[in-house]
Amino acid sequence: MPDPDLQRSRYESLTRSVRRLIDVTIRSDADLEAVARANRLVDEAVAELSTQLNPGSFGVRTSPDGDNLAWGNVVMGLRNAIAPPVEVITDPTGRAHADVVLGAAYEGPPGLVHGGVCALLLDHVLSAVAHRPDQPAVTGTLSVRFLRPTRLGGLRVEAWTDRHDGAKTFAQGHIVDPDGTPTVVAEAVFIRPRTAG
């Protein structure tokens, strides 16, 4: 893979622009002529970017330093305009949190975050407390309980480990609104697959 810093500088700004494009496409009340002009410009951009395409998904690539680059990831991907994006921060106690701002692209009921998006965010942040550097874990089960509507805007997702049992990690977490009130709670079981050998 080419130099990750060069790739980052090349694509991060483009992804932010496409993210804004998604938002304004949803919220725009522009006249038909402006919409038609924008449509042509988007089609031109698609043609430009399509001159060299990977045959499949971005997947996980590795930098020359051995860091995983999950830039196509739907939650945190640097090159995925659907990703809010989410940056998970883990503290020394093993708790994790992510602050995220969800706009029009994540709406379910009017003015509210789609429940599936809430589950997606919780799965991602809960997995951060289950992973170990040398032992990734996959979601075995995820149970989500909606306490009240989650409004679009700024939110915090928090997660912590409840316990470990062999290859399983039991985690809990929630989404809280700007007032710190939980809107969604979750419990999950993550499983560390057996390594071949």
Side-chain angles (χ1 to χ4, degrees), residues 13 46 140 195:
S13 177
V46 168
T195 54

Side-chain angles (χ1 to χ4, degrees), residues 66-127:
D67 295 328
N68 286 335
L69 305 173
W71 288 356
N73 184 284
V74 70
V75 183
M76 64 179 195
L78 173 80
R79 291 179 59 176
N80 190 336
I82 297 169
V86 172
E87 180 182 354
V88 179
I89 298 169
T90 305
D91 69 26
T93 69
R95 292 179 70 98
H97 75 272
D99 294 315
V100 62
V101 178
L102 299 181
Y106 307 98
E107 185 176 56
L112 304 176
V113 180
H114 190 288
V117 173
C118 293
L120 176 76
L121 294 173
L122 283 160
D123 179 55
H124 186 78
V125 178
L126 267 69
S127 74

Side-chain angles (χ1 to χ4, degrees), residues 5 24 27 36 42 45 59-60 76 79 82 105 115 121 129 145 155 186-187 190:
D5 291 333
V24 300
R27 298 185 303 116
V42 170
V60 176
M76 64 179 195
R79 291 179 59 176
I82 297 169
L121 294 173
V129 299
R145 191 161 49 98
L155 300 166
E187 296 180 349
F190 293 92

Side-chain angles (χ1 to χ4, degrees), residues 23-189:
D23 181 71
V24 300
T25 298
I26 295 166
R27 298 185 303 116
S28 176
D29 282 327
D31 62 36
L32 290 177
E33 186 178 325
V35 171
R37 200 165 45 246
N39 195 354
R40 285 192 299 275
L41 290 169
V42 170
D43 287 345
E44 286 177 27
V46 168
E48 286 286 333
L49 294 170
S50 297
T51 56
Q52 291 183 331
L53 289 176
N54 291 309
S57 68
F58 187 88
V60 176
R61 300 177 189 181
T62 306
S63 75
D65 297 333
D67 295 328
N68 286 335
L69 305 173
W71 288 356
N73 184 284
V74 70
V75 183
M76 64 179 195
L78 173 80
R79 291 179 59 176
N80 190 336
I82 297 169
V86 172
E87 180 182 354
V88 179
I89 298 169
T90 305
D91 69 26
T93 69
R95 292 179 70 98
H97 75 272
D99 294 315
V100 62
V101 178
L102 299 181
Y106 307 98
E107 185 176 56
L112 304 176
V113 180
H114 190 288
V117 173
C118 293
L120 176 76
L121 294 173
L122 283 160
D123 179 55
H124 186 78
V125 178
L126 267 69
S127 74
V129 299
H131 287 298
R132 297 178 184 168
D134 57 338
Q135 294 180 311
V138 296
T139 309
T141 61
L142 175 68
S143 300
V144 179
R145 191 161 49 98
F146 298 89
L147 305 177
R148 60 186 46 81
T150 303
R151 300 210 166 276
L152 293 171
L155 300 166
R156 175 168 276 211
V157 186
E158 298 177 331
W160 55 92
T161 301
D162 181 45
R163 69 187 188 281
H164 298 285
D165 183 5
K168 296 180 182 178
T169 296
F170 294 79
Q172 297 181 3
H174 55 225
I175 297 175
V176 296
D177 63 20
D179 296 328
T181 305
T183 62
V184 186
V185 296
E187 296 180 349
V189 179

